[in-house]
Amino acid sequence: MMAKTENEEEWKIGSLSRLTGVKAGTIRFYEKCGFLEPAKRLPNGYRVFCRRHIYQIRACRLVFGGFVNKRLRRISLDILQAARDWNPEAYRQAADRYLQAVEEDIRRTKIAVDFVMDKLREPGADSSVYTKKQAAGLVGATPEAIRNWERNGLLPQRARYEKRLYSQQELNRMYVIRLLLDNGYSMMAVRSFFREYDREGRESAMLQLMEPGEDEDLIYRADRYMETLLSTQEKARQLCAMADEMKEH
């Protein structure tokens, strides 16, 4: 049932659930996680929620509408924090960063798939080289992650004190490594993939990813991953659009 004050509408949790389409138990979970600002308590002990909570719940629904990867999840938490603190400007900046990160992941996924499908230019066509820090920024990884990929034999080995500079071909391999790991492949599976890719080519390498009873190859998984990213992009756009609405309340 809805209650009113002089300045705004207030809702008990049941009414808020019907208004937002989110189950009361889920709203309580968002509260427990600290994604909603504390609700007001009436003299009789009942909690009531205001219009700000509606926006905070909408933000939670859009952020948790589908898991993509850990990096995007970390970035999305800044949106929830800004919504909880009711800081529209910080919210706008966080939502913009999130949308940009999603769009960068879409671009990276396309590069990785093109590499696997042998649609990129031949090695040597691009003479660009990148430092570890530059490569990490382009691929969406950390320098420590790239160092770990080297230790696991996923990238060409270098002398211990040799300066790390990476070719475009090596950068393309990094995009694929990230895509494989994001899709749940183990480091051992990724290593087997590249070993076979370098030795026998794409078709043979793809078979290395097929586990007993598994009927989804990398391209199928990548297609589903891209669909999830595109859906997340739309949700990120909706999150950005909420920034103007929040300023009005």
Side-chain angles (χ1 to χ4, degrees), residues 4-44:
K4 292 186 177 181
T5 66
E6 292 181 0
N7 299 317
E8 65 177 350
E9 296 173 317
E10 294 179 336
W11 297 269
K12 294 180 181 178
I13 194 166
S15 298
L16 184 66
S17 174
R18 288 189 292 274
L19 183 64
T20 60
V22 177
K23 294 180 179 179
T26 302
I27 294 174
R28 292 190 185 97
F29 173 75
Y30 292 159
E31 283 187 289
K32 184 177 180 181
C33 292
F35 299 141
L36 308 183
E37 64 181 89
K40 174 182 173 182
R41 283 197 178 272
L42 299 176
N44 61 9

Side-chain angles (χ1 to χ4, degrees), residues 50-211:
C50 65
R51 189 160 295 278
R52 287 185 177 184
H53 290 107
I54 294 177
Y55 288 101
Q56 291 161 1
I57 292 169
R58 284 174 59 190
C60 287
R61 289 191 71 183
L62 290 168
V63 164
F64 297 121
F67 179 78
V68 182
N69 59 54
K70 293 179 181 178
R71 290 179 306 281
L72 292 180
R73 181 51 46 85
R74 284 197 300 269
I75 296 171
S76 70
L77 294 180
D78 291 338
I79 298 174
L80 301 183
Q81 183 64 51
R84 182 192 184 281
D85 295 342
W86 203 253
N87 186 333
E89 187 55 39
Y91 175 92
R92 177 182 292 280
Q93 293 174 6
D96 286 344
R97 285 196 302 272
Y98 182 55
L99 176 58
Q100 181 181 5
V102 173
E103 291 176 340
E104 287 174 352
D105 265 13
I106 290 172
R107 177 186 61 82
R108 291 163 181 154
T109 300
K110 289 179 179 177
I111 293 173
V113 171
D114 283 348
F115 179 85
V116 172
M117 297 297 290
D118 294 327
K119 291 181 180 179
L120 295 180
R121 288 178 292 179
E122 291 296 320
D126 190 331
S127 59
S128 301
V129 292
Y130 307 89
T131 65
K132 184 171 292 182
K133 183 176 180 180
Q134 289 172 330
L138 289 168
V139 173
T142 63
E144 291 73 22
I146 294 176
R147 190 174 297 114
N148 186 47
W149 297 346
E150 289 178 322
R151 292 193 190 111
N152 278 276
L154 304 181
L155 297 168
Q157 296 293 309
R158 289 171 169 76
R160 185 173 181 181
Y161 297 106
E162 183 181 352
K163 184 177 180 180
R164 264 50 171 189
L165 290 175
Y166 303 92
S167 67
Q168 183 63 50
Q169 189 74 355
E170 290 172 313
L171 191 71
N172 293 338
R173 290 173 74 103
M174 293 182 200
Y175 285 119
V176 178
I177 293 168
R178 223 202 70 169
L179 176 64
L180 289 167
L181 294 175
D182 281 349
N183 276 271
Y185 290 104
S186 67
M187 192 67 74
M188 182 178 295
V190 179
R191 187 164 55 242
S192 297
F193 170 83
F194 277 110
R195 186 186 302 119
E196 196 67 14
Y197 188 93
D198 293 334
R199 185 171 57 190
E200 299 291 341
R202 171 186 174 275
E203 295 299 330
S204 182
M206 298 289 273
L207 293 175
Q208 293 294 315
L209 299 177
M210 301 290 285
E211 300 177 357

